[in-house]
Amino acid sequence: SNPARPRRRVVAIAPPPTFSSPLEEGASKLTHFHPMDAVYEGNEPMSDWERDLLGFSPNYRGNINNPRNRGNTAEESENCSVFIMNLPVDTTVKELLDALVALGPFGKVYQTHVMPPYGIHPMASARLMMWDRWSARRVLNVIQEGRLVLRGQVARPIWDKNVRVPDARPQDYLSRTLLITGPVHIVDAEYLYDYLNERIFFQTQRVSVLSEFEEKRELRWIFGSFYAQAQPAHMALRRRWPPGTGVSIMFGIDPM
């Protein structure tokens, strides 16, 4: 009989050392890459809810930012990452996600990474990791049908050669969308952008005001990724405005 195929280690994905998208297209604000640890100001110990958010038991006290401590393995049949080729050279995360949203629904986005042309590749490419295999397969199938076209370029997809699955447990409430509610002087897109920009790397697909009444506002912030973007943004905002301060930070629905 054939020997069992060896299991592959999951490749840990780090956010790229590049600039983040501005709040609005054409805006001049830029941010440089910050390591995810930067969100934990002053090396404060993480709370149980923060550990749970990252997919670890509250009793675990190792370094949760070290991929070797996660211990995940995955089969090729569990791969949740799609590699997308033949994109315009200056494709942005926002442009890619906007185009995919129009072709959905697909499911929740775990991480998006757009790469400029390099080596023998004259076009840009992207890695899109979904929260589950079914969602990733739907993305792959739709792009294979030739339906993802950016500025005349028909995208081509394959399964990512490095088997990738999300590091965090796929709790239903987690997503790359944050719903932020509170006083208008705090829940202000420019103010929150500057606050987050000093602490973490992030990319924005869209920011919109859902409601505003009597000096209270609800803002919906859709990040380019859950991993290393919406995830630490939620932590950074909760640390600055914990429960009882009049500011609510919750996860919302992914538009994909």
Side-chain angles (χ1 to χ4, degrees):
S1 59
N2 293 329
R5 184 165 53 185
R7 295 170 67 86
R8 295 190 181 183
R9 293 283 299 175
V10 173
V11 176
I13 305 172
T18 182
F19 295 111
S20 76
S21 302
L23 269 175
E24 298 177 1
E25 204 156 7
S28 60
K29 290 187 178 180
L30 295 173
T31 182
H32 290 83
F33 165 75
H34 296 269
M36 188 172 172
D37 296 279
V39 74
Y40 311 127
E41 300 172 31
N43 296 319
E44 301 173 28
M46 301 189 90
S47 63
D48 287 348
W49 69 264
E50 288 173 322
R51 292 177 178 278
D52 182 68
L53 179 64
L54 290 170
F56 285 85
S57 164
N59 296 322
Y60 181 73
R61 290 297 179 263
N63 179 2
I64 66 174
N65 293 312
N66 184 344
R68 293 192 179 96
N69 291 342
R70 298 176 187 265
N72 291 338
T73 57
E75 300 285 359
E76 289 184 16
S77 62
E78 299 173 311
N79 195 359
C80 296
S81 182
V82 178
F83 190 79
I84 307 170
M85 301 170 288
N86 203 43
L87 302 175
V89 296
D90 56 349
T91 298
T92 65
V93 166
K94 173 178 168 53
E95 182 181 17
L96 175 63
L97 292 174
D98 282 348
L100 284 169
V101 166
L103 300 174
F106 296 107
K108 296 193 299 183
V109 173
Y110 186 76
Q111 186 179 32
T112 314
H113 180 196
V114 175
M115 294 157 284
Y118 66 95
I120 62 173
H121 302 283
M123 307 296 291
S125 55
R127 281 191 169 97
L128 179 68
M129 185 194 295
M130 306 298 287
W131 277 85
D132 59 77
R133 174 72 171 189
W134 183 91
S135 299
R137 180 175 291 281
R138 169 129 176 90
V139 170
L140 183 87
N141 290 344
V142 167
I143 301 176
Q144 281 180 332
E145 293 170 0
R147 295 169 58 189
L148 179 61
V149 182
L150 297 184
R151 288 178 262 158
Q153 297 291 331
V154 180
R156 294 184 290 108
I158 58 173
W159 286 114
D160 198 336
K161 292 180 180 179
N162 294 313
V163 177
R164 286 173 159 87
V165 297
D167 289 326
R169 298 193 303 274
Q171 291 102 328
D172 290 340
Y173 71 93
L174 298 178
S175 79
R176 63 190 177 99
T177 300
L178 293 186
L179 302 177
I180 309 164
T181 307
V184 294
H185 69 279
I186 295 176
V187 185
D188 174 80
E190 292 288 339
Y191 174 70
L192 293 177
Y193 180 91
D194 289 341
Y195 175 79
L196 292 173
N197 188 38
E198 294 175 354
R199 291 160 174 80
I200 63 171
F201 166 90
F202 64 96
Q203 296 157 318
T204 298
Q205 182 182 358
R206 186 177 303 110
V207 179
S208 56
V209 175
L210 297 183
S211 64
E212 187 169 330
F213 181 70
E214 294 184 348
E215 299 301 308
K216 189 174 184 178
R217 178 183 293 146
E218 182 180 14
L219 204 66
R220 177 170 58 195
W221 200 305
I222 306 172
F223 291 83
S225 302
F226 166 78
Y227 174 79
Q229 293 189 30
Q231 181 185 37
H234 181 276
M235 293 181 180
L237 294 171
R238 276 282 297 266
R239 288 213 164 187
R240 176 62 180 84
W241 294 284
T245 58
V247 178
S248 169
I249 304 108
M250 302 175 62
F251 289 99
I253 297 173
D254 189 322
M256 281 279 276

